[in-house]
Amino acid sequence: MAAGEFIHHVKRMRALETGNIMCSSEDCVGVVPAALDDLPQPVACQVCSKQNCARRTCGVPWTEGHRCWDVVAREQQQEAERIERMEELRREERRALAEWDMRHGRALPEDPTYIIQNRIASGPKVQPCPTCGVMVEHNGGCNMMYQRVAVPSGASSALVWDSARTTGADQLNPCCRKAHGTRVI
């Protein structure tokens, strides 16, 4: 038996006899008193005075900011479980929302109709032209929308956005035409 093996054997026997922990120093035959509670704490070897963690499951050399391997593993496991619970709650919430949407005639979030409805609702104002029915988008500026294409009566017309009514192009305020130009609708 080599010297290192002998020292390890002696340390192990003393630790078993006394209920303590083996010193983490390879060339020391001393043992470290084990902690009664499960909190990490430093304790000195009775032979070489080297600081060790007093927890039975750890027993490694004590360092500043020491964290026992099993405590770190338990915290990581708890964090993973917490994340999994949060993801499960989100999945349940999406399922419940989809069921509610189905019961109330709304499209599902994955449905193209739902995506289009949301884009229209969150996007610029859109409404049909009262003359021809073509969808008109108001993206800011003047409320007057001019139509270049011929209407059934043969005259050009303009849409007043806020009231959604049409007027003859000749009845419009000339400053609107001059300042904002003509938009095709």
Side-chain angles (χ1 to χ4, degrees):
M1 181 180 289
E5 291 176 4
F6 177 74
I7 292 173
H8 180 75
H9 178 71
V10 170
K11 268 198 290 197
R12 187 163 188 250
M13 295 305 294
R14 287 185 67 200
L16 289 173
E17 289 171 0
T18 61
N20 292 330
I21 303 169
M22 296 188 306
C23 178
S24 60
S25 178
E26 291 181 16
D27 55 350
C28 176
V29 292
V31 292
V32 177
L36 299 176
D37 56 2
D38 204 30
L39 297 174
Q41 55 189 337
V43 67
C45 172
Q46 297 166 345
V47 175
C48 70
S49 301
K50 183 174 182 176
Q51 296 284 322
N52 294 277
C53 180
R55 292 183 67 234
R56 289 187 193 282
T57 55
C58 187
V60 299
W62 187 264
T63 58
E64 188 65 35
H66 172 75
R67 297 193 57 202
C68 299
W69 66 270
D70 60 323
V71 173
V72 171
R74 185 173 48 237
E75 289 171 355
Q76 289 173 343
Q77 178 65 28
Q78 289 171 344
E79 180 65 14
E81 290 170 359
R82 186 189 68 78
I83 290 171
E84 180 59 34
R85 283 192 306 271
M86 293 300 294
E87 289 175 356
E88 182 60 32
L89 287 172
R90 285 188 198 111
R91 284 191 293 269
E92 288 176 19
E93 185 178 349
R94 282 194 295 270
R95 270 188 243 120
L97 179 61
E99 289 174 13
W100 187 89
D101 285 344
M102 292 284 285
R103 283 194 306 268
H104 293 86
R106 289 178 43 191
L108 295 174
E110 295 83 20
D111 186 7
T113 307
Y114 181 83
I115 295 168
I116 292 169
Q117 287 172 345
N118 276 348
R119 287 180 67 192
I120 289 173
S122 65
K125 297 179 181 177
V126 178
Q127 68 183 23
C129 172
T131 305
C132 64
V134 172
M135 293 304 289
V136 179
E137 174 183 353
H138 185 259
N139 60 0
C142 183
N143 284 333
M144 302 303 285
M145 307 291 267
Y146 301 97
Q147 188 173 31
R148 281 190 197 162
V149 295
V151 291
S153 64
S156 61
S157 68
L159 168 67
V160 181
W161 183 263
D162 289 339
S163 64
R165 64 179 170 80
T166 57
T167 63
D170 56 338
Q171 298 173 347
L172 295 176
N173 185 344
C175 72
C176 286
R177 254 185 279 164
K178 186 185 246 182
H180 301 294
T182 305
R183 293 188 211 159
V184 177
I185 58 173

